[in-house]
Amino acid sequence: MRTKNSGFTLLEILTVVAVISILVSLLLPAMSMSRRRVMQVQCQNNLKQIGYAAKTYALDYKAHYPSDGISGKTSLELLTENKYLENRRVLYCPSGNGDSSGVADFYFAHFLTEDSPDSSPLAVDDSTNHYAPLSYNVLYLDGHVDRSDGPPQG
């Protein structure tokens, strides 16, 4: 008399592997979208920290925001040079292109004062930082950050 083997057959193992493969292929796009969203939120948080530092700078410098008059990206360097931002990583978007030149991933508005309207953009991230074409995170003078699908107005 033959005894029945209690192991799995090759067909059963292949079926389980196929089902697991299908489930993984369904979950990967959702995980990728979640990761992109997390990086966008981190980018918005970096902009908020830049906004707090810029407001503090403006309080110390007679209501003028940092401006070197040359480049919006290098104006942000004034915040780190004058110790308003301790961590330089705040100047870089987590989903940025990793520019090795050391230049910030955000553009900073020039010649703003405390009298500028609250709807004025203070800082904008580079459109190449995010996967959607022409997608920007915009920091406004009143401190809120919004995602914009086009160049900021104001």
Side-chain angles (χ1 to χ4, degrees), residues 31-102:
M31 298 280 286
S32 177
M33 287 178 19
S34 296
R35 179 182 160 102
R36 288 181 192 162
R37 180 67 184 136
V38 164
M39 287 194 295
Q40 184 179 16
V41 168
Q42 288 175 337
C43 179
Q44 290 173 340
N45 287 337
N46 285 355
L47 278 170
K48 277 196 164 286
Q49 288 184 28
I50 289 170
Y52 294 139
K55 284 274 190 190
T56 306
Y57 181 99
L59 289 172
D60 290 346
Y61 286 89
K62 299 179 183 170
H64 291 298
Y65 287 89
S67 176
D68 63 0
I70 300 169
S71 164
K73 287 188 173 189
T74 57
S75 292
L76 289 173
E77 298 294 329
L78 294 173
L79 296 175
T80 56
E81 289 172 9
N82 294 316
K83 305 294 184 207
Y84 289 96
L85 284 174
E86 292 293 322
N87 191 345
R88 285 189 51 79
R89 284 187 285 176
V90 172
L91 299 178
Y92 302 98
C93 180
S95 56
N97 58 10
D99 185 7
S100 60
S101 66

Side-chain angles (χ1 to χ4, degrees), residues 3 10 97 101 118 129 142:
T3 60
L10 180 61
N97 58 10
S101 66
D118 284 346
N129 290 345
D142 65 359

